Amino acid sequence: MTDLANAESTEVPVPPTTRKDWSSNQEVRWCPGCGDYSILAAVQMLMPDLGVRRESTVFLSGIGCAARFPYYMNTYGMHSIHGRAPAIATGLATTRPDLDVWVVTGDGDSLSIGGNHLIHALRRNVDITILLFNNQIYGLTKGQYSPTSEVAKVTKSTPFGSLEQPFNPLSLALGAEASFVARTHDMDRKHMMETFRRAHAHRGASFVEIYQNCNVFNDGAFEGITGKDHRVDMLIPLVHGEPIRFGAEGEHGVVLHRDGSVEVVEVADLGELALLVHDEHRENPGLAFQLSRLSRGPHEPTPIGVFRDVERPEYGAQMAQQIEEATDRRGKGDLDALLRSGSSWTVE
Amino acid sequence: MSDTTTDPKPHQQLHRVVIRFAGDSGDGMQLTGDRFTTTSALWGNDLATFPDFPAEIRAPAGTLAGVSAFQVHISDHDISTPGDSPNVLVAMNPAALKANLAILPKGAAIIVNVDAFEERNLAKADYETNPLEDGSLSAYTVYEVPMTSITTEVCKDAGVKPRDAERSKNFFALGLISWLYTRPIEVTIGWIGEKYAGKPLVMEANLRAFKAGYHFGETAELFESSYGVKPAVLEPGEYVNITGNTATAWGLIAASVRSGLPLFLGTYPITPASDILHELSKHKQFGVRTFQAEDEISGIGAALGAAFGGALGVTTTSGPGLDLKSEMMGLAISLELPLVIIDVQRGGPSTGLPTKTEQADLLHAMYGRHGEAPLPIVAARTPSHCFEVTVEAVRLAVKYRTPVIVLSDGYLANGTEPWRLPDMDGLPTIEPDFAAGPNHTDADGQAVFWPYVRDEQTLARPWAPPGVPGLEHRIGGLEKADGSGNVSYDGVNHEKMTRLRAAKIAGIAHDIPPTDVDGEDGAEVLVIGWGSTYGAIAAGVERIRARGYKVDQAHLVHLNPFPADLGKVLGRYRRVLVPEVNTGQLSRLLRAEYLVDAISFTQVEGVPFRAEAMEAAILRQIEGVAAGSPGDPGVDGMATSHGKASD
């Protein structure tokens, strides 16, 4: 068998690289000022730190503005069709466990047309890292509401306001049994890099929602929480093992009520000991789900960081294990034996 | 059967016999037919089978909707169809009798389970009077056998409940037919022992029922004689009895071994293709990965992802799934990656007839994608031929870096025939020939890798799975610049790429065998078909020749591109008849491609053509030529002739 998956020599150390090594020679064609630029920069700057090889890295995407991402990475890559990248990634990641497979997608791509593939890739825990650029709008088709747009959104296709309840991407991922769920935003490179690093390190499917500004069709959608002047009081950094608190002096915090709900409170009112201590590794996703819904939109204090990071068997590895067990039990496949596995007879 | 005390009954030899087992969906008729077939195959007969069952798993018991049948044709010579008309019908209940009576020729034998012919079952089958008593079966030889009561009687002290014992009555029927046609019983007895080893009570009941059926034939004063069908004279070699779906699965494994490419099947369960998934999922020791996806799109998407990674990516489906996979096939055409799409056709449109056969997806396979999106199409003609055709599809996919559609159908998928095992060394070479290094020098004089530099001969682009330093590249569904593969919106480049993609597929015509014509000098009529009509056409042609007429037969395996010589071949005949189980699809392609006045002969009844109808249709063309008439008087349009209406 051609064994591409095991062809890589582990003897040769990974050569040091710089951001430039990871940038392709293609001109980046997003609109000037698009949040995608800062996400691309964060990924390209992170890569040299990860100690991975360019030839073993693959970026896959579907359709949409975000989906142009693979063209700008000097790695292997595929710009596929609308919504299907998680499906394509499933075939690639399960047959090539040696590769780092990244999926770059948007809110239309993976929460609308590709919703089915997203939830099933998460459920199966395929070893891929999904970066979902959420700008709450269809950009490439020039400004229709998306499945994450707020109710009553006025867009080209909804001149009287949209009627639909939006998806909460993190709640959806948690409901789909995701083993790694995080959120970051395009205004904080350091936070993005740290979040992507964690997502990459996780074995199985990692899901990262990135609040991303579309300065042409939905400008300022997240300004109220990610803007430099608002961040400190509107973003709630989640740190494993630490009480959840935010504000310039850590004066705000999050508490867990007896009924299982969570709420933002003033630390001065209830005391530090009353605060909820964040636990990424909690088996039960219930609390992560509550935290994902703490904010009803990008106008209320919103948690960012890693919501959930638990260990669960990875799909491709399980597939490989079944092959290994079958081979151990029956020996390597023998074509002549296969053809004679039923009742055969000989004509003289 | 050592306890037989009566004198042996007389014995007659037959050259061939067609038996149809029919009963309720829960009666185990498919199993019964399958066991009879296996025994006959091991006995050495040539055979062909036709399982015919409803889409409902268990329609209400005893109703016409729930009738499931299995037809098997055994012979002492080479045969190509499961037979037009059964010589014997085994009917386990009134509904099974009613549903199958129309295809029984007068004089045929009917063996009924008389116990089931009571008021309630008769009513369920819409019989107002009992057909066993009202004289309506006088044209047939009817054997009334109390199968249920004898089965429960012999199982009385076997420890099984009477209701469970009754379920063994299909083995009684199998035993009876095994006696009637002198089948060796050891095979079935051994099989029952193995199959039900974990359920000793069931095993015992089935064994007792089977033996009781065999004894009944021998001792009851009902059957005057037993019959024998001698082994057929087949080409020397080792044989197995195989279904089309199994042959397809094995073909994929063989191609995987042959090419060294690990096999990845991405698929979604759908009738009648699911058995390919079932079969492949059993053989993980070959490194086979089977992925039961969340939907049809994910199935082909994952297969394409695996192909991008350097695996043999395959997806299997039937009509409704082919619709859903169209967009991904377009991407695979644009990416120019190897991919195999197996379409086991069934009656359409929409959900159509899930368990009935049809070959109506040809035009979909040809044209069912937006934009200019050609891909190779191959079709299997018999169950065992699925093996060879699947290997050929993989060869084309890998060599030309293209998705390839394999057309099978429900009749091939579930039907069986003896298959002489091929010599594995005789299979074609499949060389992945992965890109190993740079293939272009850029403006700065640097050696670089361009993903769309083409092989001069095949026009195929390099296949460069991830993992090789220096070959990093990006591909996608956007139009690519010739050579570099960078995104290009240039109209002139698009024209060039469109024509290159088409030329690559068209060029395959020179890499496939010429048209396979079974001919004799002087024939003026050619019957040309594709897919599972092969057997019926061959049988029809044989009958015509037996009448002393000349007729040629051609059967296409490659449907896109056609063999390079096909136009010339068609031009040699005064009449070209195209039988198809659709409303005229190949005939349209032949007319469009070669300006030939192809005469369409079609039916879409969910069943294969009958040799008799085929014979009549061919005969009409031969008589037409003899009369010097320019066209076919019976055909008022190219796709209106109907298998039944024509004779």
Side-chain angles (χ1 to χ4, degrees):
Chain A
M1 291 268 165
T2 311
D3 202 352
L4 285 163
N6 296 316
E8 188 190 12
S9 163
T10 47
E11 308 283 309
V12 185
V14 180
T17 55
T18 64
R19 174 183 175 180
K20 196 163 163 278
D21 294 314
W22 293 85
S23 311
S24 79
N25 60 2
Q26 297 297 295
E27 186 191 356
V28 183
R29 291 186 190 163
W30 287 311
C31 306
C34 177
D36 290 0
Y37 282 94
S38 66
I39 305 173
L40 177 64
V43 172
Q44 288 175 341
M45 290 170 77
L46 172 70
M47 286 298 171
D49 279 3
L50 291 181
V52 293
R53 297 167 191 273
R54 285 196 302 119
E55 68 269 20
S56 302
T57 304
V58 182
F59 279 85
L60 300 175
S61 65
I63 293 294
C65 293
R68 300 298 175 95
F69 199 96
Y71 289 123
Y72 309 135
M73 295 297 298
N74 191 11
T75 63
Y76 285 87
M78 189 201 291
H79 175 218
S80 74
I81 48 178
H82 209 9
R84 317 303 173 199
I88 294 169
T90 297
L92 180 61
T94 50
T95 47
R96 293 293 303 275
D98 58 312
L99 301 177
D100 269 344
V101 180
W102 299 73
V103 171
V104 178
T105 182
D107 42 313
D109 192 50
S110 67
L111 296 178
S112 206
I113 191 167
N116 201 27
H117 308 308
L118 175 75
I119 57 175
H120 287 278
L122 295 173
R123 167 177 76 86
R124 294 190 180 102
N125 207 30
V126 181
D127 196 13
I128 55 179
T129 307
I130 301 169
L131 307 182
L132 188 151
F133 297 15
N134 183 8
N135 56 19
Q136 303 188 340
I137 199 80
Y138 278 80
L140 197 64
T141 50
K142 300 186 181 173
Q144 299 82 10
Y145 75 105
S146 92
T148 55
S149 296
E150 66 276 16
V151 177
K153 180 97 176 163
V154 174
T155 70
K156 268 188 196 153
S157 59
T158 50
F160 302 105
S162 67
L163 304 173
E164 300 169 21
Q165 169 75 24
F167 266 136
N168 177 323
L170 296 194
S171 300
L172 183 75
L174 289 161
E177 308 292 344
S179 58
F180 182 97
V181 176
R183 178 191 284 146
T184 184
H185 66 96
D186 63 1
M187 298 291 283
D188 188 342
R189 177 175 299 160
K190 205 174 142 220
H191 192 267
M192 276 194 285
M193 287 172 68
E194 188 47 35
T195 308
F196 299 160
R197 184 197 310 277
R198 289 284 313 279
H200 173 262
H202 177 75
R203 215 168 128 66
S206 313
F207 178 83
V208 182
E209 178 190 23
I210 307 158
Y211 283 158
Q212 175 248 324
N213 191 41
C214 172
N215 58 323
V216 175
F217 295 108
N218 200 18
D219 195 23
F222 305 103
E223 172 65 23
I225 57 170
T226 64
K228 279 218 157 57
D229 301 339
H230 311 294
R231 245 180 252 177
V232 71
D233 285 318
M234 297 300 274
L235 291 180
I236 310 172
L238 298 176
V239 182
H240 179 67
E242 300 282 329
I244 302 174
R245 62 193 298 176
F246 62 108
E249 309 290 332
E251 67 272 29
H252 319 298
V254 174
V255 294
L256 170 65
H257 292 304
R258 278 175 175 277
D259 66 357
S261 63
V262 290
E263 191 189 11
V264 172
V265 295
E266 294 307 305
V267 177
D269 293 345
L270 294 173
E272 204 172 315
L273 289 176
L275 297 182
L276 173 64
V277 175
H278 185 50
D279 180 3
E280 296 167 351
H281 308 315
R282 188 185 274 262
E283 269 308 311
N284 187 322
L287 199 48
F289 188 81
Q290 285 295 341
L291 286 172
S292 76
R293 309 175 76 75
L294 182 61
S295 153
R296 284 163 299 180
H299 47 82
E300 295 181 352
T302 302
I304 59 168
V306 177
F307 286 63
R308 176 171 172 80
D309 179 7
V310 297
E311 275 188 40
R312 200 149 70 72
E314 188 269 307
Y315 188 59
Q318 289 179 294
M319 248 189 197
Q321 195 186 338
Q322 283 196 338
I323 288 176
E324 202 176 308
E325 284 169 3
T327 311
D328 284 350
R329 210 167 48 241
R330 305 181 199 163
K332 205 163 154 39
D334 173 350
L335 212 46
D336 286 318
L338 172 71
L339 265 46
R340 286 156 184 82
S341 58
S343 310
S344 71
W345 69 96
T346 301
V347 174
E348 302 294 340
Chain B
M1 297 291 142
S2 53
D3 50 349
T4 309
T5 49
T6 46
D7 289 335
K9 288 185 178 176
H11 186 75
Q12 298 178 38
Q13 284 299 325
L14 302 172
H15 291 300
R16 50 180 284 267
V17 64
V18 178
I19 303 165
R20 192 168 172 95
F21 296 93
D24 204 53
S25 294
D27 281 345
M29 288 298 100
Q30 300 304 319
L31 178 75
T32 308
D34 194 54
R35 292 327 302 166
F36 184 83
T37 302
T38 300
T39 305
S40 299
L42 292 174
W43 170 247
N45 293 131
D46 193 19
L47 59 88
T49 66
F50 176 45
D52 188 11
F53 46 88
E56 290 75 21
I57 304 301
R58 292 281 157 87
T63 62
L64 289 162
V67 174
S68 171
F70 187 103
Q71 186 165 315
V72 53
H73 183 183
I74 57 172
S75 78
D76 63 3
H77 58 281
D78 190 21
I79 51 165
S80 56
T81 77
D84 281 7
S85 336
N87 304 105
V88 184
L89 172 70
V90 178
M92 300 300 284
N93 66 11
L97 174 66
K98 190 167 203 177
N100 290 288
L101 203 57
I103 60 163
L104 270 197
K106 305 280 181 254
I110 302 174
I111 301 173
V112 297
N113 174 16
V114 68
D115 293 328
F117 282 69
E118 39 80 31
E119 214 169 305
R120 254 185 77 222
N121 280 332
L122 289 166
K124 278 190 206 164
D126 296 332
Y127 272 121
E128 281 172 15
T129 55
N130 189 341
L132 303 179
E133 293 163 3
D134 64 9
S136 61
L137 301 178
S138 56
Y140 307 93
T141 311
V142 180
Y143 299 96
E144 298 180 20
V145 183
M147 300 190 196
T148 310
S149 44
I150 299 179
T151 301
T152 41
E153 178 65 24
V154 295
C155 292
K156 212 167 50 186
D157 57 350
V160 280
K161 292 183 199 133
R163 231 186 51 210
D164 291 339
E166 191 199 320
R167 296 181 57 195
S168 296
K169 63 182 179 294
N170 59 324
F171 281 94
F172 180 94
L174 180 61
L176 177 56
I177 300 300
S178 295
W179 173 82
L180 195 57
Y181 292 101
T182 332
R183 306 287 98 179
I185 56 171
E186 297 74 23
V187 179
T188 305
I189 289 173
W191 181 85
I192 292 172
E194 243 172 71
K195 171 83 179 175
Y196 302 102
K199 297 173 182 167
L201 287 183
V202 178
M203 177 173 78
E204 182 60 24
N206 287 341
L207 276 178
R208 288 188 183 203
F210 178 71
K211 289 179 181 172
Y214 195 92
H215 287 301
F216 183 86
E218 196 155 24
T219 53
E221 302 287 325
L222 203 53
F223 299 95
E224 303 82 34
S225 89
S226 65
Y227 302 89
V229 180
K230 285 186 177 151
V233 180
L234 298 171
E235 219 178 314
E238 195 170 0
Y239 284 77
V240 296
N241 189 41
I242 197 162
T243 67
N245 275 346
T246 303
T248 302
W250 290 4
L252 289 171
I253 292 175
S256 166
V257 171
R258 193 78 182 158
S259 63
L261 296 169
L263 179 58
F264 179 93
L265 174 73
T267 189
Y268 188 76
I270 187 168
T271 303
S274 304
D275 278 343
I276 304 172
L277 164 64
H278 303 159
E279 179 65 21
L280 284 176
S281 63
K282 286 191 259 177
H283 302 296
K284 294 193 191 297
Q285 73 274 22
F286 284 92
V288 175
R289 284 176 169 80
T290 52
F291 170 57
Q292 184 179 315
E294 60 272 20
D295 58 31
E296 296 278 358
I297 298 170
S298 174
I300 185 173
L304 184 60
F308 179 70
L312 173 54
V314 179
T315 190
T316 50
T317 192
S318 187
L322 194 68
D323 294 350
L324 289 165
K325 294 181 197 295
S326 298
E327 189 190 12
M328 197 67 77
M329 283 188 246
L331 177 64
I333 288 168
S334 179
L335 296 180
E336 301 192 41
L337 283 172
L339 184 67
V340 174
I341 301 107
I342 294 164
D343 174 26
V344 185
Q345 302 164 94
R346 66 190 215 189
S350 191
T351 310
L353 302 172
T355 60
K356 306 291 177 188
T357 198
E358 202 161 281
Q359 46 176 187
D361 295 352
L362 175 59
L363 293 181
H364 184 174
M366 271 301 281
Y367 301 122
R369 294 163 295 280
H370 71 277
E372 295 289 344
L375 50 68
I377 303 166
V378 291
R381 59 194 195 188
T382 68
S384 72
H385 190 235
C386 290
F387 180 89
E388 186 186 322
V389 158
T390 303
V391 175
E392 170 67 355
V394 175
R395 181 186 77 88
L396 294 176
V398 171
K399 183 168 178 183
Y400 293 90
R401 321 299 201 207
T402 177
V404 177
I405 293 181
V406 177
L407 293 175
S408 173
D409 64 33
Y411 169 49
L412 298 179
N414 295 316
T416 60
E417 65 173 346
W419 177 43
R420 192 164 68 92
L421 296 178
D423 177 7
M424 287 301 134
D425 296 335
L427 295 181
T429 311
I430 302 172
E431 183 49 67
D433 195 19
F434 290 133
N439 59 358
H440 183 76
T441 309
D442 70 5
D444 309 333
Q446 209 167 349
V448 294
F449 177 69
W450 274 17
Y452 280 79
V453 170
R454 292 174 191 279
D455 178 275
E456 278 178 21
Q457 208 200 331
T458 61
L459 296 181
R461 77 173 191 90
W463 188 8
V468 182
L471 304 191
E472 292 87 359
H473 64 283
R474 277 68 54 192
I475 53 177
L478 285 169
E479 185 60 283
K480 289 153 287 284
D482 180 29
S484 74
N486 289 329
V487 174
S488 168
Y489 301 124
D490 176 47
V492 174
N493 175 73
H494 174 58
E495 164 114 19
K496 186 174 185 191
M497 290 296 276
T498 302
R499 295 194 186 282
L500 274 170
R501 285 187 289 261
K504 180 178 80 167
I505 303 306
I508 292 172
H510 303 289
D511 190 17
I512 58 177
T515 312
D516 175 19
V517 183
D518 168 20
E520 35 190 13
D521 278 347
E524 293 183 303
V525 173
L526 173 74
V527 189
I528 183 165
W530 66 281
S532 67
T533 51
Y534 178 75
I537 294 175
V541 164
E542 200 177 305
R543 287 172 177 223
I544 292 293
R545 288 177 181 165
R547 285 169 174 256
Y549 296 111
K550 286 182 173 177
V551 62
D552 286 2
Q553 179 186 4
H555 212 76
L556 295 171
V557 174
H558 294 87
L559 292 154
N560 192 42
F562 289 129
D565 68 338
L566 183 57
K568 268 191 200 157
V569 169
L570 295 175
R572 293 208 294 260
Y573 299 90
R574 289 183 63 189
R575 294 278 179 103
V576 174
L577 180 67
V578 191
E580 293 177 86
V581 184
N582 55 44
T583 59
Q585 300 200 0
L586 176 64
S587 59
R588 276 185 175 81
L589 294 177
L590 294 179
R591 282 172 164 252
E593 192 72 20
Y594 302 108
L595 289 175
V596 61
D597 188 16
I599 299 160
S600 185
F601 171 60
T602 65
Q603 70 166 42
V604 282
E605 295 184 343
V607 291
F609 275 112
R610 295 150 67 102
E612 192 182 355
M614 194 65 68
E615 178 188 14
I618 301 169
L619 194 58
R620 249 179 346 147
Q621 296 311 318
I622 287 171
E623 286 167 349
V625 171
S629 65
D632 178 3
V635 180
D636 53 354
M638 66 171 276
T640 53
S641 173
H642 185 275
K644 282 219 164 140
S646 65
D647 43 47

